[in-house]
Amino acid sequence: MITLKGSEVSAKIKEQVQELAGSLEGTIPRLAIVRVGERPDDLSYERGAVKKMRAFGLEVQSCVFPQDIANEEFKERFREINDDPQIHGILVLRPLPRQICEKTIEEMICPDKDVDGISPVNIAKVFSGDPSGFAPCTAEAVVEVLKANDIEMAGKRAVIVGRSMVVGKPLAMLLMKENATVTVCHTRTKDLSGTCREGEILVAAAGRAKMINSDHVGPGAIVIDVGINVDENGKLCGDVDFDSIQEKASMATPVPGGVGAVTTAVLAKHLAQAAGYKQGGEHVSG
Ligand code: NDP
């Protein structure tokens, strides 16, 4: 089985980002990461995103608010970030605390700065196959892994485990756009392992440590693991039991070292595109 490394895909995306950023006549794309509170998951994602933006030559600032900030106050502060012409892209770390209305933020965020595809405008574009919208970075990262490794999607049977708005659903649209035949599984799917075995491309995005094993993988399948979990020993692991699929899969992404690194690279690409769009360039994501 071949291990599909995220770092190699990320390096390819870096070249695209540098080309895009180089055409911006001295403007350096700037990302604002909006974080409320100190959730360890958020801090870890933020660290990875900051590191990646800097490594790609882009600027990044963290906008941090207290966990108990009132909804109205947060909306006001968010509006300032949204209106700031120095900021080209905004990443909101979610879930936000209960008192904050996430839907309002999704509707408020300027679609041209919405580099992680949470605005209804971008979601509608992704679902209608319009390439001028920003897709959620993780969903797009899966497609980037396949493309960078010259894996044909057209005509392939793709099975996704998970139907969230962040990964499963937008990914189904992106894979369909690439002419794959897509099945989406969830907790009510009957015969999950049998359905997964039909996938020539199998994407695990359920958030359940090591739930996908050799029973779920058809001979020669390509397995993309989106999951980020902690196993019984406190170690980072994916949704796929990587060791158990070695004899069945032809290729698979590891965790860590797989899709996660590509997600932040896609974020950087979206940021460079957003900065280009602001300068009157063509608005094309993907
Ligand atoms: P959600 O919890 O929002 O969604 C999980 C989905 O998986 C749901 O649709 C759920 O079904 C389905 N599911 C859960 N358990 C099972 C099961 N036993 N059998 C079949 N389907 C199941 O998670 P997210 O989509 O936000 O994230 C998924 C994973 O991806 C997580 O591990 C997360 O940490 C990771 N992630 C990784 C990122 C990266 O950059 N690599 C970025 C974002 C997320 P139902 O709808 O029926 O409840």
Side-chain angles (χ1 to χ4, degrees):
M1 186 183 84
I2 297 167
T3 300
L4 302 173
K5 291 200 185 110
S7 56
E8 290 169 11
V9 183
S10 175
K12 288 187 183 180
I13 297 173
K14 185 177 182 182
E15 288 171 18
Q16 296 171 28
V17 171
Q18 287 178 332
E19 195 178 315
L20 271 167
S23 67
L24 295 175
E25 294 158 4
T27 299
I28 302 176
R30 173 176 281 266
L31 176 71
I33 301 179
V34 175
R35 169 164 57 82
V36 182
E38 309 284 327
R39 286 178 60 234
D41 288 2
D42 289 347
L43 291 167
S44 157
Y45 190 63
E46 184 179 331
R47 268 195 303 275
V50 167
K51 203 170 147 199
K52 184 67 61 117
M53 296 311 124
R54 295 198 173 135
F56 280 24
L58 310 179
E59 290 183 350
V60 55
Q61 69 184 64
S62 295
C63 306
V64 182
F65 302 101
Q67 174 75 20
D68 61 355
I69 188 169
N71 190 36
E72 284 307 311
E73 165 81 5
F74 181 70
K75 259 170 55 184
E76 205 37 55
R77 303 296 299 277
F78 186 78
R79 198 186 313 280
E80 288 164 14
I81 298 165
N82 214 17
D83 292 345
D84 184 341
Q86 305 301 320
I87 291 171
H88 304 100
I90 303 172
L91 172 70
V92 183
L93 299 179
R94 300 188 298 165
L96 292 165
R98 277 167 178 269
Q99 77 276 12
I100 294 173
C101 177
E102 260 189 34
K103 196 164 181 297
T104 308
I105 301 303
E106 289 165 5
E107 285 166 2
M108 271 175 80
I109 192 168
C110 169
D112 297 340
K113 294 187 179 187
D114 173 30
V115 286
D116 199 22
I118 65 170
S119 143
V121 173
N122 283 318
I123 292 168
K125 285 183 173 180
V126 170
F127 277 62
S128 66
D130 176 346
S132 74
F134 289 120
C137 295
T138 308
E140 191 171 321
V142 173
V143 174
E144 290 285 350
V145 169
L146 296 169
K147 281 186 179 165
N149 288 285
D150 297 322
I151 295 163
E152 181 66 52
M153 287 168 266
K156 289 264 173 68
R157 286 189 305 277
V159 176
I160 304 167
V161 185
R163 58 175 166 181
S164 75
M165 282 302 286
V166 181
V167 193
K169 281 182 187 155
L171 176 58
M173 298 302 139
L174 298 179
L175 288 172
M176 245 187 279
K177 190 157 178 290
E178 298 294 332
N179 298 309
T181 301
V182 182
T183 301
V184 180
C185 302
H186 44 79
T187 51
R188 305 289 283 271
T189 298
K190 287 182 183 156
D191 187 18
L192 182 70
S193 54
T195 309
C196 288
R197 276 198 302 274
E198 287 170 13
E200 293 166 276
I201 297 169
L202 173 62
V203 183
R208 298 281 177 272
K210 299 184 187 175
M211 69 167 276
I212 302 293
N213 56 42
S214 61
D215 279 351
H216 299 80
V217 176
I222 295 153
V223 181
I224 309 292
D225 191 354
V226 174
I228 301 176
N229 315 292
V230 176
D231 71 9
E232 62 282 4
N233 303 316
K235 271 183 66 184
L236 200 65
C237 73
D239 287 357
V240 177
D241 184 348
F242 198 73
D243 292 337
S244 107
I245 66 161
Q246 296 275 340
E247 302 299 318
K248 281 277 203 71
S250 60
M251 302 179 196
T253 58
V255 176
V259 174
V262 185
T263 296
T264 47
V266 170
L267 179 67
K269 185 175 77 169
H270 286 179
L271 179 64
Q273 287 169 332
Y277 183 52
K278 186 164 174 282
Q279 285 199 341
E282 202 185 349
H283 185 202
V284 176
S285 158

